[in-house]
Amino acid sequence: MIALVISALLAQSQPAAQQQPGAQQPQPGAQPQPGAQQSQQVGQPHLLTLEEAVQNARQHQPQLREARANTNAAEARADQARAPLLPQLGVTAQYERTTANFAARPGSVPSTVNNGGTTGSNSSFATFNFWNGGATLNQLIFDFGSTIDRWRAAKAQADAQRATELATVLGIDFTVRQNYFLAQAQKALMQVAQDTLNAQTQHRQQTEGFVRAGTQPEIALATARTNEANARVQLITAQNNYETAKVTLNQAMGIEAGTDYDVAQDPYPAIDVEEAPMDAVVSEAVKARPEVASIEDLIRVNQLTISSVKGNYLPSISGQANVTDSGTALSSLTWNANVGVVLSWNIFQGGLTTAQVHEAQANLANVAAQLDLEKQQIRVDVNAALLAVRAAKASLSATAEALNNARLQLKLAEQRFQVGVGSAIELTDAQVALTQAAAQSVQAADNLSTARAQLVRALGRQ
């Protein structure tokens, strides 16, 4: 719709082609924006489309890299939680240079030490080599689900983080679209300001002729010159607003570059649910929104955490195997091996397990409440987006009618001014009315595109 507004305004302007003010020419050797295509016309700034802006953000936005890193970290923690379920193999090797003095203990029998050693309670400073090496293999057999539920909880946590990453993507997409449509609107308003300046310049030139002919007073010329100067100031302001909007768009895309590009006039297409019943749209949004999926995964996390902690009330059983090889010389080592089953049971830990269960249950209740709040917020988001779309569509129709009437008003005022029955004030008021109507039409089109992007975000669509 913005493009239609500008086309209609251009039809009312002078036939001479005007170069778009404020458009910066590409510097020699400058590179295009990431993902943007070069303009087909030499010397024109390259055109950035909405789709390219979104792709730029997905490639360069630091918030998305941060979310991806958090997902990778959650997946790594899930792998860490799986490790105790797999066999644990350890190897040790030790060398000592040691004395061999016997220290008597109740029930011990001293042995003779050769090679200058001592017997009984005698002591010596003689030292000996001692080599010791071994391997130990442990495998958890059963612990009433404590370890495996910890692993499942960690996997559910990773799933929740992946959903959070997707929610971040949707949020960034909406921010880019919102800022892109703002830049579109500022570009359209810049064209409105240019058309207004062209019209005021034409009025000033006409007024000069009327004053020379004596059909208009001197004050009419002063008024025309004032209006022309004010229109030039408004154009400068509009140019600055457009450049500022592109700077903000760059930030939303996560790129560090100049603003030597132009945004395309791409109104956002209609959404298939704009006129659908509210409950049906909310139901779709609840199923699709990644925030809901993330909270549901967190509910599973806490449920599995409770199950895992309760497993600590019962014993754990594991298998163990050891192989050792030791002696005083590498050429005469003695090996030993053993296998066994170990039962470990923390019968009382001062209420630690019970407290952990209570904490996990409280966390579960907290997350369940968050899910209810999120569903309520989704209903609010969908409701607000639908109402904004419908209001913008109605406003767009009304502003189009106001724009047509303002054009007619200006045309009549110009005719009255040319035949000497209209005043400069009447002509000025008509031009101001047209400028305001054109700006309102631009704003309505921007509101409609932004509202549709907001509806897409509320629905959880990309």
Side-chain angles (χ1 to χ4, degrees), residues 270-285 379 382-390 393 455 459 461:
I271 311 302
D272 56 355
V273 297
E274 289 181 6
E275 304 299 330
M278 176 67 67
D279 290 340
V281 181
V282 171
S283 178
E284 176 187 343
R379 176 172 288 276
V382 171
N383 192 6
L386 282 176
L387 292 176
V389 168
R390 294 166 184 174
K393 290 165 70 174
L455 179 57
L459 292 170
R461 298 180 184 179

Side-chain angles (χ1 to χ4, degrees), residues 20-25 183 186-187 190 236-250 258-262:
Q20 181 175 308
Q24 300 182 10
Q25 301 299 323
Q186 295 299 339
K187 178 181 177 181
M190 185 175 68
I236 294 172
T237 301
Q239 291 171 345
N240 182 70
N241 290 341
Y242 180 44
E243 294 301 315
T244 302
K246 290 192 289 184
V247 170
T248 305
L249 178 59
N250 284 352
T259 58
D260 53 340
Y261 62 91
D262 219 353

Side-chain angles (χ1 to χ4, degrees), residues 251-270:
Q251 182 183 26
M253 292 188 294
I255 61 175
E256 298 180 6
T259 58
D260 53 340
Y261 62 91
D262 219 353
V263 296
Q265 295 297 333
D266 292 336
Y268 206 72

Side-chain angles (χ1 to χ4, degrees), residues 141-142 144 314-319 340-347:
I141 297 175
F142 186 67
F144 295 91
L314 300 171
S316 64
I317 301 173
S318 60
V341 176
V342 178
L343 185 145
S344 177
W345 194 351
N346 292 319
I347 297 177

Side-chain angles (χ1 to χ4, degrees), residues 66-324:
E66 180 183 6
R68 180 69 248 175
N70 289 336
T71 300
N72 292 338
E75 292 172 346
R77 286 191 291 270
D79 292 339
Q80 295 172 25
R82 181 187 59 185
L85 296 171
L86 302 177
Q88 310 292 307
L89 177 63
V91 177
T92 60
Q94 181 182 5
Y95 165 75
E96 293 182 358
R97 185 70 182 178
T98 179
T99 60
N101 298 321
F102 175 77
R105 290 185 298 176
S108 63
V109 178
S111 58
T112 302
V113 180
N114 298 322
N115 299 327
T118 60
T119 303
S121 60
N122 296 328
S123 60
S124 170
F125 287 101
T127 58
F128 306 90
N129 291 326
F130 184 75
W131 305 85
N132 183 40
T136 301
L137 176 66
N138 289 288
Q139 174 61 59
L140 177 65
I141 297 175
F142 186 67
D143 64 352
F144 295 91
S146 179
T147 302
I148 195 170
D149 283 341
R150 276 199 299 272
W151 175 42
R152 291 169 177 166
K155 289 199 299 179
Q157 184 73 56
D159 292 339
Q161 183 55 47
R162 276 190 289 271
T164 299
E165 180 185 355
L166 178 56
T168 303
V169 172
L170 297 180
I172 293 298
D173 286 354
F174 171 69
T175 301
V176 170
R177 289 168 180 149
Q178 184 180 38
N179 284 279
Y180 187 90
F181 295 139
L182 177 60
Q184 273 189 351
Q186 295 299 339
K187 178 181 177 181
L189 291 175
M190 185 175 68
Q191 186 61 56
V192 170
Q194 178 64 66
D195 293 338
T196 301
L197 176 58
N198 293 341
Q200 295 291 3
T201 300
Q202 185 181 23
H203 294 161
R204 188 260 303 164
Q205 293 171 348
Q206 292 175 345
T207 304
E208 288 177 345
F210 294 150
V211 170
R212 285 195 298 268
T215 59
Q216 289 290 338
E218 288 287 342
I219 191 172
L221 179 58
T223 301
R225 287 172 176 171
T226 300
N227 292 339
E228 182 182 15
N230 289 335
R232 186 171 289 108
V233 171
Q234 292 173 358
L235 176 59
I236 294 172
T237 301
Q239 291 171 345
N240 182 70
N241 290 341
Y242 180 44
E243 294 301 315
T244 302
K246 290 192 289 184
V247 170
T248 305
L249 178 59
N250 284 352
Q251 182 183 26
M253 292 188 294
I255 61 175
E256 298 180 6
T259 58
D260 53 340
Y261 62 91
D262 219 353
V263 296
Q265 295 297 333
D266 292 336
Y268 206 72
I271 311 302
D272 56 355
V273 297
E274 289 181 6
E275 304 299 330
M278 176 67 67
D279 290 340
V281 181
V282 171
S283 178
E284 176 187 343
V286 169
K287 293 178 181 178
R289 285 281 288 266
E291 294 90 341
V292 173
S294 177
I295 296 175
E296 289 175 344
D297 288 330
L298 291 177
I299 288 177
R300 287 197 300 118
V301 168
N302 285 278
Q303 290 172 339
L304 290 168
T305 299
I306 292 173
S307 177
S308 172
V309 173
K310 286 183 176 180
N312 294 332
Y313 284 124
L314 300 171
S316 64
I317 301 173
S318 60
Q320 188 179 74
N322 292 285
V323 177
T324 61

